[in-house]
Amino acid sequence: MSYPLRDEFHRARKAVGRTLDGLWPRASFAHVTTALTDQQHAPVRDAGPEFLPVQAREFLEHWSTVSDREAILRVDRPCTVDPKMGILFSNGRVMWGSSDIPDRERNPRFFSHLTKPKRSLPAAILLHHFHGDNYFHFFLYVLSKAAVAERHGLPVEIPFLVPEKTANTRFFQQAMDLGVFGERQVLIQGRKETIAVEQAYVIRAFFCHKPYFDWACDQLDVPAPSGSDRRIFVLRGQSAANGRAFRNQDEVNALAESFGFDLVDPSNLSLSEQINLFSQAYVIAGAHGAALTNILFRRRLPCRIIELFSPTMGSPHYYMLAKELGFAYESLMTLNPQGRAFTASTEVDLDGLKRVFQNL
């Protein structure tokens, strides 16, 4: 199936799914919750850097209209937790808006909430996120929720509940080994398991908030600043889930090495190795992708971020992350995309990249 036809098919399939989902009996999430803490940040208008793909500019434009929120919402009646996104049900009725991405909620395991679950918990703090198996989403969404729970002092006796999809990732398991969740128990919800919870805690976290990153770095024992001036060029490995290869990667590598960059594929490193490496990096460059999340391990020292975008896709999240951390940031657009927009291969503008490197 060609790309346009495939995209059209998936749009139609999702529209049908949303219509069917809307037929299920529902209950009001807002009417059964108590906000233990609730703060909002006013919208911020930011046009971003000069070079951004259309997708990124559209995100920033939308973000300028959104009030960001941090809250701990205690659910005041027993509920059942769906494994996919953490959507809650009350007496078999779906509570839309109970996950952390309400506008994308879809296809919970409706019928499993009509029978008695095999497991029941007196209380749990939900760390569900649909993309929690992605390195960026884990740090920016899942750990941010944990930070909110800890910073506001939810009792340590209440466990975190994490979906199996997240828990099975190597980075989650290594973060656990490094003590990111401290003394709090972490329970894993199976991919098809519905769990009953007498008192659930739903977390809303600010997006891209430095105090959360500081908390995570403290939990992971990120090394103290050393003044290192190391230069890192991040490579997308052969196993990168979304493609986006550079067709002139060999020439890019040679250029980066000529300017003193170490070529690093983070997928070959443990989480501990990534923490130690990126904490020492004064310049971090590379393609838009989850590996750039590692910039958050550069704590309280100057850093320069250089992000290479495909013109067909890319969010402004690493620009926003760099800005929140107080780092210098610049971006460069790659050329001649080939393939589907989200996974297209491109060519790096070598002259443009060279000019960026010369200005370091």
Side-chain angles (χ1 to χ4, degrees):
M1 186 182 297
S2 68
Y3 294 133
L5 289 177
R6 180 166 59 181
D7 291 344
E8 188 64 31
F9 168 77
H10 285 302
R11 280 193 290 269
R13 177 181 59 81
K14 290 177 182 178
V16 171
R18 284 192 295 269
T19 299
L20 295 176
D21 287 351
L23 299 177
W24 195 265
R26 65 181 63 195
S28 171
F29 177 62
H31 290 166
V32 300
T33 57
T34 297
L36 304 185
T37 179
D38 199 344
Q39 305 176 59
Q40 291 200 7
H41 285 167
V44 176
R45 180 164 292 279
D46 183 355
E50 179 181 359
F51 297 109
L52 281 179
V54 171
Q55 180 191 27
R57 295 211 176 279
E58 289 176 344
F59 181 93
L60 286 175
E61 181 64 28
H62 171 71
W63 190 249
S64 70
T65 68
V66 174
S67 295
D68 204 8
R69 184 187 186 196
E70 176 189 275
I72 299 176
L73 306 175
R74 186 187 66 210
V75 183
D76 294 327
R77 68 171 59 174
C79 59
T80 51
V81 183
D82 197 77
K84 187 174 183 180
M85 298 179 67
I87 297 173
L88 301 181
F89 283 68
S90 174
N91 293 322
R93 294 175 175 269
V94 62
M95 291 194 283
W96 296 116
S98 54
S99 79
D100 63 348
I101 44 176
D103 58 329
R104 300 189 65 184
E105 289 176 337
R106 60 184 184 272
N107 304 327
R109 300 176 61 82
F110 289 107
F111 291 100
S112 68
H113 295 272
L114 298 177
T115 58
K116 185 177 180 179
K118 295 181 180 179
R119 187 159 45 142
S120 180
L121 304 174
I125 302 165
L126 309 187
L127 295 189
H128 294 69
H129 179 69
F130 185 62
H131 299 295
D133 58 337
N134 173 278
Y135 191 72
F136 168 82
H137 287 260
F138 173 68
F139 279 96
L140 270 288
Y141 293 91
V142 177
L143 285 190
S144 289
K145 294 183 185 183
V148 172
E150 300 295 359
R151 283 163 53 82
H152 288 283
L154 284 183
V156 72
E157 295 79 15
I158 305 173
F160 286 134
L161 183 61
V162 179
E164 182 183 351
K165 182 179 177 181
T166 300
N168 280 349
T169 61
R170 186 179 71 155
F171 55 77
F172 176 90
Q173 295 163 5
Q174 292 178 351
M176 281 274 292
D177 292 341
L178 293 174
V180 74
F181 297 113
E183 298 301 316
R184 195 181 298 272
Q185 184 182 16
V186 177
L187 303 177
I188 309 303
Q189 182 175 10
R191 289 177 181 265
K192 297 183 179 181
E193 181 186 20
T194 300
I195 296 179
V197 180
E198 287 293 312
Q199 193 167 76
Y201 293 82
V202 174
I203 307 292
R204 300 286 186 256
F206 293 132
F207 177 69
C208 197
H209 190 46
K210 187 175 182 298
Y212 303 159
F213 307 145
D214 290 339
W215 173 85
C217 286
D218 288 340
Q219 296 294 109
L220 293 167
D221 198 23
V222 173
S226 68
S228 170
D229 60 355
R230 193 165 182 179
R231 298 180 176 190
I232 303 296
F233 193 93
V234 178
L235 303 176
R236 287 181 64 80
Q238 296 296 319
S239 61
N242 298 314
R244 302 201 293 271
F246 297 148
R247 294 193 298 276
N248 58 343
Q249 185 70 64
D250 290 343
E251 292 89 341
V252 173
N253 292 354
L255 178 63
E257 288 183 314
S258 73
F259 279 90
F261 282 83
D262 294 324
L263 306 179
V264 175
D265 179 358
S267 68
N268 294 329
L269 304 177
S270 69
L271 177 58
S272 181
E273 289 170 331
Q274 292 178 74
I275 289 171
N276 290 325
L277 174 64
F278 284 88
S279 70
Q280 306 303 316
Y282 172 65
V283 183
I284 301 170
H288 173 81
L292 290 181
T293 308
N294 286 308
I295 68 177
L296 66 85
F297 300 133
R298 176 70 171 184
R299 303 189 71 181
R300 295 185 294 276
L301 279 181
C303 188
R304 300 188 66 168
I305 310 302
I306 304 165
E307 184 173 13
L308 304 178
F309 279 110
S310 166
T312 62
M313 70 79 55
S315 73
H317 294 160
Y318 300 109
Y319 160 69
M320 298 171 75
L321 179 53
K323 183 179 178 181
E324 178 71 7
L325 294 170
F327 297 161
Y329 175 94
E330 54 192 311
S331 58
L332 191 69
M333 205 73 76
T334 56
L335 309 171
N336 305 322
Q338 294 181 7
R340 195 180 182 193
F342 191 70
T343 59
S345 68
T346 59
E347 297 173 353
V348 175
D349 176 359
L350 296 175
D351 290 336
L353 185 60
K354 183 177 181 179
R355 286 193 295 271
V356 172
F357 286 166
Q358 287 173 334
N359 290 328
L360 292 176

